Amino acid sequence: MAEMGVRMEQTRLLSKHGNVSLQDLGHSEMVQSLYLAAVILFVLILAAGVLMISSSLNSTVAQRTKFFGMMRCIGMSRQQIIRFVRLEALNWCKTAIPAGVLLGILAAWILCAVLRFLVGEEFSDIPLFGISKIGIASGILMGLITVLLAASSPARRASKVSPIAAVAGNPEYTKELHHAVSTRFFKIETALGISHAVSSKKNLALMMSSFALSILLFLCFSVLVDFVGYLMPQSSSAADITISSKDDSNSLDSQLPDTICNMEGVKRVFGRRSCFQLPAKQNGKSGSDTVDLISYDNFDLECLAKDGMLKKGSDLSKVYENDHYVFATWDKDSPLKIGDQIQVAGTKLIIAGLLKYDPFSSDGLTDGQITLIASNATFVRLTGISDYSLILIQTTKDASEGDVAAIQDLIGSSGVFHDSRGQSTAGTYTAFVFCVYGFLAIITLVTILNIVNTISMSVSARIKAYGIMRAVGMDEHKISKMIAAEALTYALSGCFVGCAVGLPANKWLYDCLITSHFDYAAWALPVKPLLIILLFLFFAVAAASCAPSKRIRSLSTVEMLNDQ
């Protein structure tokens, strides 16, 4: 995808300059950003892959301890055992790497098509069916490096198995216990499940790391979504065409929105009125102050709530229903609070809500100026002005140039016409968010597959132990609870570590990328991203517990005891 982006940038530079060298491409900020992102994602996916494959191999090695003991009995050295495990892991690459490369090419084609036809705008020149040699080579390299790194620890573990294990069986689960499992806080089946999870410190560490990495990546990448939201703020009330008065006065006819609304190519029309430096008194304090008053119609007010621009505690319904309530812009230095009263034009107004920043200033700060947002009815009642200072138009997707020209002809010289359809950043924002969450979905999927595979391997390795438990009277339901407790132990420990590392990382990134550049921004606990990733991870626990439990129920006690 990075190379497809570079080819798109090359096409753009060619059309602009007529000739592009490799040096020109190398100096392009977009090209540098694309390759930097590709390298970062390469490392992150490598880490996630190593954790998943290493955990699977560790479980496989533990399950076949007796086998490796027999290999030592017939004369295989430790170095040969290490080579055997590595070659076994590399054997997976024969089918996995070609399949991964083909799926990667197909996924890239689909993403390019989505960017070109659904997002459009600056992505309209991205190649559809490009083949990236660098991408294919990187994919192959990724597979080989991941497998070799992941096989290192399990291979050393297998090499340490002694020939005695061939006779004694699997020592991983038959070693002498120095004390019984405590049932002080949990029932026996739950306590055994927790004991199984913590018995292998290395496997527990791998599982915790896998969970923690998913949470860390999700929380960190969610900051990038917020960052691009600040760079390219998206508003539901963003207009494709704006008509403003020539002298910033309320000189646009009040009937004009209704006329434009009935024209071809028009989706929605709404207007704003404004009065500046109105005398005002705050909370009955002595002395006069001034405020700016701006009217919003119902759609404009709804967009404030829809876009999350209102601070907690704001009540939109009061501004709709009561002509004594208004919203106010806010920043960290603003003295206003929800419920404060301001007297404007001899009328007491109550602050029903605060905006998170000042959308009418270039930097989002109020600079000590109070701006009130009122409903149309409240504004007209206070000022007696019914004409507009600004009319905003949202066009339909199939609006033609002729439709826009007709609107411009209607306005004539009565206002300033501005067509901003080509300045929309919605496509870039959507593409960025789509790619970020697509990557996070892959990481989450890797984690889910990891824990499902690990629990399945763990159950297979302990199948005889479960058979003995069945033989002494433990029913299938309790064994299922034991498996669920083991999976839940992995999840809770991983979530604890992930939150302990991820939340500080989230705040640090937020401060570096957002707070340091946008003074009105303030970090808050990322509740929504945290709940999303935790929900997915606990879904993984449920999925990991179901399949092994079903397998246990399908086997008889004799079959479990005779399992090799």
Side-chain angles (χ1 to χ4, degrees), residues 48-49 51-52 55 206-215 217 440-454 490-491 494-495 533 536-541 544:
L51 287 172
M52 182 185 73
S55 180
L206 285 169
M207 291 300 297
M208 287 173 57
S209 300
S210 184
F211 272 101
L213 180 64
S214 297
I215 295 173
L217 290 176
L440 290 176
I442 293 172
I443 292 295
T444 305
L445 179 62
V446 166
T447 303
I448 291 175
L449 292 175
N450 189 11
I451 189 171
V452 169
N453 183 65
T454 301
Y490 291 136
C495 290
I533 185 60
F536 272 106
L537 293 182
F538 281 100
F539 168 77
V541 172

Side-chain angles (χ1 to χ4, degrees), residues 39 49 125 209 214 226 240 254 273 278 284 400 412 430 463 479 538:
V39 170
D125 293 326
S209 300
S214 297
D226 293 335
D240 299 309
S254 60
R273 307 173 179 90
L278 290 174
S400 65
T430 302
I463 197 73
I479 292 179
F538 281 100

Side-chain angles (χ1 to χ4, degrees), residues 428-442:
T428 304
Y429 178 82
T430 302
F432 183 87
V433 172
F434 178 78
C435 289
V436 168
Y437 282 115
F439 171 74
L440 290 176
I442 293 172

